Amino acid sequence: VKENNYRGHGDSVDQLCWHPSNPDLFVTASGDKTIRIWDVRTTKCIATVNTKGENINICWSPDGQTIAVGNKDDVVTFIDAKTHRSKAEEQFKFEVNEISWNNDNNMFFLTNGNGCINILSYPELKPIQSINAHPSNCICIKFDPMGKYFATGSADALVSLWDVDELVCVRCFSRLDWPVRTLSFSHDGKMLASASEDHFIDIAEVETGEKLWEVQCESPTFTVAWHPKRPLLAFACDDKDGKYDSSREAGTVKLFGLPNDS
């Protein structure tokens, strides 16, 4: 395993997103009012795009042509991934949390602070529907690779699974006790990992809702991500290093699902 550091942002890096089809490119959103596109082959930043506010959420369109970034002022900016120029900008009157395109690239989804999922047409950005998904803040959203479902996680500690075509809730996963911060579907769409401030990651079977596994952690989990081709889960926790300075975060990425995991 090779480890590289990508330096350049002047403030916290809040989210990272890989290019949907090019494994060499990823983009980061930062509180320094920029987004940066990085190339893994050179470990260098190939583009810095200045934005109006402190960025917290970012996603790449399935066709790879557009990057959407949301900031602390609830503005979502759509940036052309080739020219690095802003194509559109939308100011919302509610707290915007995670954002995502659907797999067909023709709809754009936002989770909001009122527990709703807002759906806009793309590229027109006209409101299509607002779904009351949760009684409290709707935090994260992920689409499954098969295009059948999407899942949302909320401050009510529930994960809800939605049918993409019908836009109805199919089932809920309720094993976590704290606000759900992060979600990820496995490459085959059969497993869903969810995590929170609970000291475990829940791995559920999508079709039944049953618990397949519980990955133990020593601290809250900020992010989980399945491998794009294998049943291997990467996760990062709020772990303090402690060896030199207990106030520093360790920034360790861990893997679950390696052959020796029992």
Side-chain angles (χ1 to χ4, degrees), residues 117-176:
I117 304 163
N118 292 80
I119 307 169
L120 308 175
S121 63
Y122 189 81
E124 304 81 20
L125 301 176
K126 296 279 182 283
I128 294 177
Q129 198 166 346
S130 177
I131 303 170
N132 288 324
H134 292 271
S136 58
N137 197 336
C138 194
I139 297 169
C140 46
I141 182 166
K142 282 289 182 305
F143 281 77
D144 97 81
M146 303 294 140
K148 191 176 177 185
Y149 300 117
F150 65 92
T152 58
S154 165
D156 61 13
L158 290 175
V159 175
S160 54
L161 185 74
W162 298 79
D163 182 295
V164 167
D165 296 327
E166 305 290 333
L167 295 178
V168 292
C169 183
V170 184
R171 64 187 59 88
C172 279
F173 308 84
S174 57
R175 284 180 290 272
L176 296 168

Coordinates of all heavy atoms in Angstrom, one line a residue, residues 117-176:
I117 N -36.1 15.2 1.7 CA -35.2 15.0 0.6 C -35.8 15.9 -0.5 O -37.0 15.7 -0.9 CB -35.3 13.5 0.1 CG1 -34.9 12.6 1.3 CG2 -34.4 13.3 -1.1 CD1 -35.3 11.2 1.0
N118 N -35.1 16.8 -1.1 CA -35.5 17.7 -2.2 C -35.0 17.1 -3.5 O -33.8 16.9 -3.5 CB -35.1 19.1 -2.0 CG -35.8 19.7 -0.8 OD1 -35.4 19.5 0.4 ND2 -36.9 20.5 -1.1
I119 N -35.8 17.0 -4.5 CA -35.4 16.5 -5.8 C -35.6 17.5 -6.8 O -36.7 18.1 -7.0 CB -36.2 15.2 -6.1 CG1 -36.1 14.2 -5.0 CG2 -35.7 14.6 -7.4 CD1 -37.1 13.0 -5.1
L120 N -34.5 17.8 -7.6 CA -34.6 18.8 -8.7 C -34.3 18.1 -10.0 O -33.6 17.1 -10.0 CB -33.5 19.9 -8.5 CG -33.4 20.6 -7.1 CD1 -32.2 21.5 -7.1 CD2 -34.6 21.4 -6.8
S121 N -34.9 18.6 -11.1 CA -34.5 18.1 -12.4 C -33.1 18.6 -12.7 O -32.7 19.6 -12.2 CB -35.5 18.6 -13.4 OG -35.4 20.0 -13.5
Y122 N -32.4 17.8 -13.5 CA -31.1 18.2 -13.9 C -30.9 18.0 -15.4 O -31.4 17.0 -16.0 CB -30.0 17.4 -13.2 CG -28.6 18.0 -13.5 CD1 -28.1 19.0 -12.7 CD2 -27.8 17.5 -14.5 CE1 -26.9 19.6 -13.0 CE2 -26.6 18.1 -14.8 CZ -26.1 19.1 -14.0 OH -24.9 19.7 -14.3
P123 N -30.4 19.0 -16.2 CA -29.7 20.2 -15.7 C -30.6 21.5 -15.4 O -30.1 22.5 -15.0 CB -28.7 20.6 -16.8 CG -29.4 20.1 -18.0 CD -30.2 18.9 -17.6
E124 N -31.9 21.3 -15.5 CA -32.8 22.5 -15.4 C -32.8 23.1 -14.0 O -33.1 24.3 -13.8 CB -34.2 22.2 -15.9 CG -34.3 21.7 -17.3 CD -34.0 20.2 -17.4 OE1 -34.0 19.5 -16.4 OE2 -33.6 19.7 -18.5
L125 N -32.6 22.2 -13.0 CA -32.7 22.5 -11.6 C -34.1 23.1 -11.2 O -34.2 24.0 -10.4 CB -31.6 23.5 -11.2 CG -30.2 23.0 -11.4 CD1 -29.2 24.1 -11.1 CD2 -29.9 21.8 -10.6
K126 N -35.1 22.5 -11.7 CA -36.5 22.8 -11.3 C -36.9 21.8 -10.3 O -36.7 20.6 -10.4 CB -37.4 22.7 -12.6 CG -37.1 23.7 -13.7 CD -37.7 25.1 -13.4 CE -37.4 26.1 -14.5 NZ -36.0 26.6 -14.5
P127 N -37.6 22.3 -9.2 CA -38.1 21.4 -8.2 C -39.1 20.3 -8.7 O -40.0 20.7 -9.4 CB -38.8 22.3 -7.2 CG -38.3 23.7 -7.5 CD -38.0 23.7 -8.9
I128 N -38.8 19.1 -8.4 CA -39.7 18.0 -8.8 C -40.6 17.6 -7.6 O -41.8 17.4 -7.7 CB -38.9 16.8 -9.4 CG1 -38.2 17.1 -10.7 CG2 -39.9 15.6 -9.6 CD1 -37.3 16.0 -11.2
Q129 N -39.9 17.3 -6.5 CA -40.6 16.8 -5.4 C -39.8 17.1 -4.1 O -38.6 17.2 -4.1 CB -40.8 15.3 -5.5 CG -41.8 14.7 -4.7 CD -42.2 13.2 -5.1 OE1 -41.8 12.8 -6.2 NE2 -42.9 12.5 -4.3
S130 N -40.6 17.1 -3.0 CA -39.9 17.2 -1.7 C -40.6 16.1 -0.8 O -41.8 16.0 -0.7 CB -40.2 18.6 -1.0 OG -39.7 18.6 0.3
I131 N -39.7 15.2 -0.3 CA -40.2 14.0 0.4 C -39.9 14.3 1.9 O -38.8 14.5 2.3 CB -39.5 12.7 0.0 CG1 -39.7 12.5 -1.5 CG2 -40.0 11.6 0.8 CD1 -38.8 11.4 -2.1
N132 N -40.9 14.1 2.7 CA -40.7 14.2 4.2 C -40.2 12.8 4.6 O -40.9 11.8 4.8 CB -42.0 14.4 4.9 CG -42.5 15.9 4.7 OD1 -41.6 16.8 4.7 ND2 -43.8 16.1 4.6
A133 N -38.9 12.7 4.7 CA -38.2 11.4 5.0 C -38.1 11.1 6.4 O -38.2 9.9 6.8 CB -36.9 11.4 4.3
H134 N -37.7 12.1 7.2 CA -37.4 11.8 8.6 C -38.0 13.0 9.5 O -38.1 14.1 9.0 CB -35.9 11.8 8.8 CG -35.2 10.6 8.2 ND1 -35.0 9.4 8.8 CD2 -34.7 10.5 7.0 CE1 -34.4 8.6 8.0 NE2 -34.2 9.2 6.9
P135 N -38.3 12.7 10.8 CA -38.8 13.7 11.7 C -37.7 14.7 12.1 O -38.1 15.8 12.6 CB -39.3 12.9 12.9 CG -38.6 11.6 12.9 CD -38.3 11.3 11.4
S136 N -36.5 14.4 11.9 CA -35.4 15.4 12.2 C -34.4 15.4 11.1 O -34.5 14.7 10.1 CB -34.7 15.0 13.5 OG -34.2 13.7 13.5
N137 N -33.4 16.3 11.3 CA -32.4 16.6 10.3 C -32.0 15.4 9.4 O -31.6 14.3 9.9 CB -31.2 17.1 11.0 CG -30.2 17.8 10.1 OD1 -30.1 17.6 8.9 ND2 -29.4 18.7 10.7
C138 N -32.1 15.5 8.1 CA -31.7 14.4 7.2 C -30.2 14.8 6.8 O -29.9 15.8 6.2 CB -32.6 14.4 6.0 SG -32.4 13.0 5.0
I139 N -29.3 13.9 7.1 CA -27.9 14.2 7.1 C -27.2 13.7 5.8 O -26.4 14.4 5.2 CB -27.1 13.7 8.3 CG1 -27.7 14.4 9.6 CG2 -25.6 13.9 8.3 CD1 -27.3 13.7 10.9
C140 N -27.4 12.4 5.5 CA -26.6 11.9 4.4 C -27.4 11.1 3.4 O -28.5 10.6 3.7 CB -25.4 11.0 4.9 SG -25.9 9.8 6.2
I141 N -26.9 10.9 2.2 CA -27.7 10.2 1.1 C -26.7 9.5 0.2 O -25.6 10.0 -0.1 CB -28.5 11.2 0.3 CG1 -29.4 10.4 -0.8 CG2 -27.7 12.3 -0.4 CD1 -30.5 11.3 -1.4
K142 N -27.0 8.2 -0.2 CA -26.2 7.5 -1.1 C -27.1 6.7 -2.0 O -28.2 6.2 -1.6 CB -25.3 6.5 -0.3 CG -24.1 7.1 0.3 CD -23.0 7.5 -0.7 CE -21.8 8.1 -0.1 NZ -22.0 9.2 0.8
F143 N -26.7 6.5 -3.3 CA -27.4 5.7 -4.3 C -26.7 4.4 -4.4 O -25.5 4.3 -4.4 CB -27.5 6.4 -5.6 CG -28.5 7.5 -5.7 CD1 -28.3 8.7 -5.0 CD2 -29.7 7.3 -6.3 CE1 -29.3 9.7 -5.0 CE2 -30.7 8.2 -6.3 CZ -30.5 9.5 -5.7
D144 N -27.5 3.3 -4.6 CA -26.8 2.0 -4.7 C -26.4 1.9 -6.2 O -26.9 2.4 -7.1 CB -27.8 0.9 -4.3 CG -28.5 0.2 -5.4 OD1 -27.9 -0.6 -6.1 OD2 -29.7 0.6 -5.6
P145 N -25.2 1.1 -6.4 CA -24.6 1.1 -7.7 C -25.6 0.4 -8.8 O -25.4 0.7 -10.0 CB -23.4 0.1 -7.5 CG -23.1 0.2 -6.1 CD -24.4 0.4 -5.4
M146 N -26.6 -0.3 -8.3 CA -27.5 -1.0 -9.3 C -28.6 0.0 -9.7 O -29.3 -0.3 -10.7 CB -28.1 -2.2 -8.6 CG -27.2 -3.2 -8.1 SD -26.3 -4.0 -9.5 CE -24.6 -4.1 -8.8
G147 N -28.7 1.1 -9.1 CA -29.8 2.1 -9.5 C -31.2 1.7 -9.0 O -32.1 2.3 -9.4
K148 N -31.3 0.8 -8.0 CA -32.6 0.3 -7.5 C -33.0 1.2 -6.3 O -34.2 1.5 -6.2 CB -32.5 -1.1 -7.2 CG -33.8 -1.8 -6.9 CD -33.6 -3.3 -6.6 CE -34.9 -4.0 -6.3 NZ -34.8 -5.4 -5.9
Y149 N -32.1 1.5 -5.4 CA -32.4 2.1 -4.2 C -31.5 3.3 -3.9 O -30.4 3.4 -4.5 CB -32.2 1.2 -3.0 CG -33.0 -0.1 -3.0 CD1 -32.4 -1.3 -3.1 CD2 -34.4 0.0 -2.9 CE1 -33.1 -2.5 -3.1 CE2 -35.1 -1.2 -2.9 CZ -34.5 -2.4 -3.0 OH -35.2 -3.6 -3.0
F150 N -32.0 4.2 -3.1 CA -31.1 5.1 -2.4 C -31.4 5.1 -0.9 O -32.5 4.7 -0.5 CB -31.1 6.5 -3.0 CG -32.4 7.3 -2.8 CD1 -32.6 8.1 -1.7 CD2 -33.4 7.2 -3.7 CE1 -33.8 8.8 -1.5 CE2 -34.6 7.9 -3.5 CZ -34.8 8.7 -2.4
A151 N -30.4 5.5 -0.1 CA -30.6 5.4 1.4 C -30.3 6.8 1.9 O -29.4 7.5 1.4 CB -29.6 4.4 2.0
T152 N -31.0 7.1 3.0 CA -30.7 8.4 3.7 C -30.5 8.1 5.2 O -31.1 7.1 5.7 CB -31.9 9.4 3.6 OG1 -33.1 8.8 4.1 CG2 -32.1 9.8 2.1
G153 N -29.7 8.9 5.8 CA -29.4 8.8 7.2 C -29.8 10.0 7.9 O -29.6 11.1 7.4
S154 N -30.3 9.9 9.1 CA -30.8 11.1 9.8 C -30.4 11.2 11.2 O -29.8 10.3 11.8 CB -32.4 11.0 9.8 OG -33.0 11.9 10.7
A155 N -30.6 12.4 11.8 CA -30.3 12.7 13.2 C -31.2 11.9 14.1 O -31.0 11.8 15.3 CB -30.5 14.2 13.5
D156 N -32.3 11.3 13.6 CA -33.2 10.4 14.4 C -32.6 9.0 14.6 O -33.2 8.1 15.1 CB -34.6 10.4 13.9 CG -34.6 9.8 12.4 OD1 -33.6 9.2 12.0 OD2 -35.7 9.9 11.8
A157 N -31.3 8.8 14.1 CA -30.6 7.6 14.2 C -31.1 6.5 13.3 O -30.7 5.3 13.4 CB -30.5 7.1 15.7
L158 N -32.0 6.9 12.4 CA -32.6 5.9 11.4 C -31.9 6.0 10.1 O -31.6 7.1 9.6 CB -34.1 6.1 11.3 CG -35.0 5.7 12.4 CD1 -36.4 6.1 12.1 CD2 -34.9 4.2 12.8
V159 N -31.8 4.9 9.4 CA -31.4 4.8 8.0 C -32.7 4.4 7.2 O -33.3 3.4 7.6 CB -30.3 3.8 7.7 CG1 -30.0 3.7 6.2 CG2 -29.0 4.3 8.5
S160 N -33.1 5.1 6.2 CA -34.3 4.7 5.5 C -33.8 4.4 4.0 O -32.9 5.0 3.5 CB -35.4 5.8 5.5 OG -34.9 7.0 5.0
L161 N -34.4 3.3 3.5 CA -34.1 2.8 2.2 C -35.3 3.1 1.2 O -36.4 2.8 1.6 CB -33.9 1.3 2.2 CG -33.4 0.6 0.9 CD1 -31.9 1.0 0.6 CD2 -33.6 -0.9 1.0
W162 N -35.0 3.8 0.1 CA -36.0 4.3 -0.8 C -35.9 3.6 -2.2 O -34.8 3.4 -2.7 CB -35.9 5.8 -1.0 CG -36.1 6.5 0.3 CD1 -35.1 6.7 1.3 CD2 -37.2 7.2 0.8 NE1 -35.7 7.4 2.3 CE2 -37.0 7.7 2.0 CE3 -38.5 7.4 0.2 CZ2 -37.9 8.4 2.8 CZ3 -39.4 8.1 0.9 CH2 -39.1 8.6 2.2
D163 N -37.1 3.3 -2.8 CA -37.1 2.8 -4.1 C -36.9 4.0 -5.1 O -37.7 5.0 -5.0 CB -38.5 2.1 -4.4 CG -38.6 1.6 -5.8 OD1 -38.6 2.4 -6.7 OD2 -38.7 0.3 -5.9
V164 N -35.9 3.9 -6.0 CA -35.6 5.1 -6.8 C -36.8 5.4 -7.7 O -37.1 6.6 -7.9 CB -34.3 4.8 -7.6 CG1 -34.2 5.8 -8.8 CG2 -33.1 4.8 -6.7
D165 N -37.4 4.4 -8.3 CA -38.5 4.7 -9.3 C -39.8 5.2 -8.7 O -40.4 6.1 -9.1 CB -38.8 3.4 -10.2 CG -37.6 3.0 -11.0 OD1 -36.8 3.9 -11.4 OD2 -37.3 1.8 -11.2
E166 N -40.1 4.5 -7.5 CA -41.4 4.8 -6.9 C -41.3 6.0 -5.9 O -42.3 6.5 -5.5 CB -42.0 3.6 -6.2 CG -42.1 2.4 -7.0 CD -43.2 2.5 -8.1 OE1 -44.2 3.2 -7.8 OE2 -43.1 1.8 -9.1
L167 N -40.1 6.3 -5.4 CA -39.8 7.3 -4.4 C -40.6 7.0 -3.1 O -41.2 7.9 -2.5 CB -40.1 8.7 -4.9 CG -39.2 9.2 -6.0 CD1 -39.6 10.6 -6.5 CD2 -37.7 9.2 -5.6
V168 N -40.7 5.7 -2.8 CA -41.3 5.3 -1.5 C -40.3 4.6 -0.6 O -39.3 4.0 -1.1 CB -42.5 4.3 -1.7 CG1 -43.7 5.0 -2.4 CG2 -42.1 3.1 -2.5
C169 N -40.5 4.7 0.7 CA -39.6 4.1 1.6 C -39.9 2.6 1.7 O -41.1 2.2 1.9 CB -39.8 4.8 3.0 SG -38.6 4.1 4.2
V170 N -38.9 1.8 1.5 CA -39.1 0.4 1.4 C -38.8 -0.2 2.8 O -39.6 -1.1 3.3 CB -38.1 -0.3 0.4 CG1 -38.3 -1.7 0.3 CG2 -38.2 0.4 -0.9
R171 N -37.8 0.2 3.6 CA -37.6 -0.3 4.9 C -36.7 0.7 5.7 O -36.0 1.5 5.1 CB -37.0 -1.7 4.9 CG -35.7 -1.9 4.3 CD -35.3 -3.4 4.2 NE -36.3 -4.1 3.5 CZ -36.2 -4.3 2.1 NH1 -35.2 -3.8 1.5 NH2 -37.2 -4.9 1.5
C172 N -36.6 0.5 7.0 CA -35.8 1.3 7.8 C -34.8 0.4 8.6 O -35.1 -0.8 8.9 CB -36.6 2.1 8.9 SG -37.3 3.6 8.2
F173 N -33.6 0.9 8.9 CA -32.6 0.2 9.7 C -32.5 1.0 11.0 O -32.2 2.2 10.9 CB -31.3 0.1 8.9 CG -31.4 -0.4 7.5 CD1 -31.8 0.4 6.5 CD2 -31.2 -1.8 7.3 CE1 -31.9 -0.1 5.2 CE2 -31.3 -2.3 6.0 CZ -31.6 -1.5 4.9
S174 N -32.7 0.4 12.1 CA -32.7 1.2 13.3 C -31.8 0.7 14.4 O -32.1 0.8 15.6 CB -34.2 1.2 13.9 OG -34.6 -0.2 14.1
R175 N -30.7 0.1 14.1 CA -29.8 -0.4 15.1 C -28.8 0.6 15.7 O -28.2 0.4 16.7 CB -29.0 -1.6 14.5 CG -29.8 -2.9 14.4 CD -29.0 -4.0 13.8 NE -28.7 -3.8 12.4 CZ -29.5 -4.2 11.4 NH1 -30.6 -4.8 11.7 NH2 -29.1 -4.0 10.2
L176 N -28.7 1.8 15.1 CA -27.8 2.8 15.6 C -28.6 3.7 16.6 O -29.8 3.8 16.5 CB -27.3 3.7 14.5 CG -26.3 3.0 13.5 CD1 -26.1 3.9 12.3 CD2 -25.0 2.6 14.2

